[in-house]
Amino acid sequence: MNPITLRLLSQQLLSPQFSKPEEVVAHFGAMQAQDIRMVRWAVSMRTRKPSAKSFEEAINQGRIIRMHLMRGTWQLVAAEDYWWMLDLCGERAHKVIKGWQDSSGIVFSDEEHLAVLDVIEQVTKEKRSATKEDYVLALADNGFNFDEHRLNCHIRRAELDAVLCSGDFLPMKPTYALVEQKIPRIMSISHDEALKRLAVRYFQSHSPATLNDFAWWSGLTMGDCKKAVAMLADCLKPFPNDNHQFLLLDSCRTRKTSKPSRILLPAYDEYLIGYKSRDLVLAPEVKHKAHNNSGIFHPVIVSDGVVCANWKPYEKNLTATPFPNYSLPDSLDEAWNDYTVYLQR
């Protein structure tokens, strides 16, 4: 079986299996979410009937949570997975924040954090969905005047301490709600069970992939990642490939398809950002067209699984630019129509 076709199936980019946005997010375990408008399309395009409104409702009703969880960046997680994933990834995420503070020269005491947290909690409880601007005004009234970077550190710590989670959907800025008002507490699971569960989620949504891909995506230690893969020895098998030591979860779909696929991928999509090595679908000589070395990912067009062009998601008509020495694929009209219909829904 072609590994690219397998990956398209695992990623739900061919013949999607799910109807609800939160089902897609749960399938992945976590989905990259720097750009909230773009991740709205990333999730919706993997449902049977893509709808911008359905995604927004899932965010507003707390069925999907947006937070800083892995690698110090934004992810989406399903509410049902929030607690065990936070328990598993929280310690590493705290270290990322501490490293960011140290490199930026941001130092504050626990006393300051508790005082700031008290103000943030009061504002969020009153508004039920608060913005950073709301926090800035309330903090200034309480004698706290500091820059956005310092405030971000306080907010991220509050996220990882299960105080704040995402609030109502806004297309251009994050909002925050109180975890206690939005996400029911569920029974904890063991560290090993959480490791195993996360590995299943990753490989069911990214197969075929490598151990290094899983370690990159999860942000966990290589020791934990090797342990997780070892626990899946009965169902995670080597997949022959000349260039990579791929692993394939045995429950992954292997249905062959002859229909050509033309896909308008959003920026920061899991199809690229979910792997440390992307050369299976993105030629090294044009990777700078898809992302730069600073971690900025661009919207791209995928033709039969291969990344070949850029596109602009906020234009009235499809604007596409092929990569050097590539040509635009035929029949992009259907993909563009799917995208515009999704926006209308």
Side-chain angles (χ1 to χ4, degrees):
M1 188 69 176
N2 184 329
I4 294 178
T5 302
L6 286 172
R7 192 171 283 185
L8 288 169
L9 288 166
S10 298
Q11 288 260 345
Q12 301 293 312
L13 293 171
L14 281 181
S15 305
Q17 298 170 289
F18 305 112
S19 300
K20 298 178 181 179
E22 62 268 29
E23 294 173 335
V24 174
V25 177
H27 171 73
F28 277 82
M31 297 181 72
Q32 198 73 18
Q34 267 99 328
D35 187 324
I36 187 62
R37 292 181 296 173
M38 287 281 88
V39 79
R40 181 177 60 172
W41 172 233
V43 174
S44 298
M45 71 187 296
R46 290 171 163 91
T47 61
R48 294 191 184 103
K49 190 176 179 180
S51 165
K53 184 179 180 181
S54 293
F55 176 85
E56 292 169 19
E57 288 176 347
I59 287 281
N60 293 346
Q61 294 169 13
R63 291 179 275 127
I64 293 175
I65 303 299
R66 182 176 181 239
M67 63 182 298
H68 292 91
L69 185 65
M70 300 170 175
R71 308 185 308 278
T73 62
W74 286 104
Q75 275 87 39
L76 298 181
V77 300
E80 65 191 56
D81 298 322
Y82 170 85
W83 289 105
W84 69 263
M85 290 193 70
L86 185 59
D87 287 344
L88 178 63
C89 301
E91 182 180 352
R92 294 280 292 177
H94 268 297
K95 289 180 180 178
V96 171
I97 294 175
K98 182 62 167 59
W100 184 45
Q101 285 185 232
D102 291 345
S103 64
S104 303
I106 299 172
V107 180
F108 53 76
S109 64
D110 289 340
E111 288 76 15
E112 177 186 305
H113 180 63
L114 290 173
V116 169
L117 195 59
D118 184 58
V119 174
I120 285 175
E121 285 188 87
Q122 290 181 35
V123 172
T124 312
K125 188 173 184 179
E126 290 170 5
K127 293 184 172 291
R128 298 193 67 84
S129 185
T131 66
K132 279 198 282 190
E133 289 79 6
D134 295 325
Y135 295 151
V136 168
L137 292 174
L139 288 167
D141 288 342
N142 285 270
F144 293 101
N145 294 283
F146 38 64
D147 63 25
E148 185 177 7
H149 296 297
R150 195 180 190 90
L151 176 58
N152 284 341
C153 289
H154 285 293
I155 291 175
R156 291 194 186 190
R157 282 184 57 176
E159 285 183 280
L160 296 175
D161 290 337
V163 175
L164 292 182
C165 64
S166 52
D168 290 346
F169 176 87
L170 288 179
M172 299 299 291
K173 63 178 67 175
T175 66
Y176 300 93
L178 292 179
V179 170
E180 65 180 17
Q181 293 180 329
K182 200 160 190 178
I183 312 174
R185 201 30 145 146
I186 61 173
M187 187 178 298
S188 299
I189 61 176
S190 70
H191 179 80
D192 283 359
E193 178 57 32
L195 269 181
K196 184 178 180 181
R197 189 178 293 186
L198 188 66
V200 168
R201 299 294 182 87
Y202 177 77
F203 284 102
Q204 74 182 9
S205 58
H206 292 78
S207 284
T210 68
L211 170 64
N212 286 335
D213 291 331
F214 175 50
W216 146 256
W217 175 85
S218 68
L220 299 175
T221 66
M222 182 57 75
D224 268 348
C225 291
K226 287 180 177 179
K227 185 177 184 180
V229 167
M231 286 189 286
L232 296 179
D234 291 340
C235 57
L236 192 60
K237 305 298 184 182
F239 180 83
N241 183 271
D242 292 337
N243 300 315
H244 302 280
Q245 294 180 323
F246 282 140
L247 298 168
L248 181 71
L249 198 67
D250 60 10
S251 60
C252 287
R253 293 181 295 167
T254 57
R255 184 183 65 81
K256 293 184 179 180
T257 177
S258 58
K259 181 182 178 181
S261 61
R262 309 288 184 256
I263 302 168
L264 303 180
L265 276 189
Y268 302 102
D269 193 83
E270 285 290 323
Y271 191 65
L272 285 182
I273 206 169
Y275 306 88
K276 183 175 183 179
S277 175
R278 303 169 184 124
D279 59 3
L280 179 67
V281 300
L282 177 65
E285 63 269 18
V286 293
K287 68 178 184 179
H288 61 286
K289 293 292 184 177
H291 63 87
N292 63 23
N293 292 331
S294 300
I296 305 299
F297 281 70
H298 309 297
V300 295
I301 296 173
V302 175
S303 176
D304 293 332
V306 176
V307 183
C308 64
N310 294 112
W311 69 290
K312 295 182 179 180
Y314 306 122
E315 303 288 329
K316 290 184 177 180
N317 299 299
L318 177 60
T319 302
T321 306
F323 293 167
N325 300 318
Y326 285 72
S327 57
L328 286 178
D330 298 330
S331 306
L332 284 173
D333 290 346
E334 183 178 351
W336 179 251
N337 182 67
D338 289 344
Y339 176 69
T340 55
V341 169
Y342 138 82
L343 289 175
Q344 292 164 8
R345 289 183 181 141

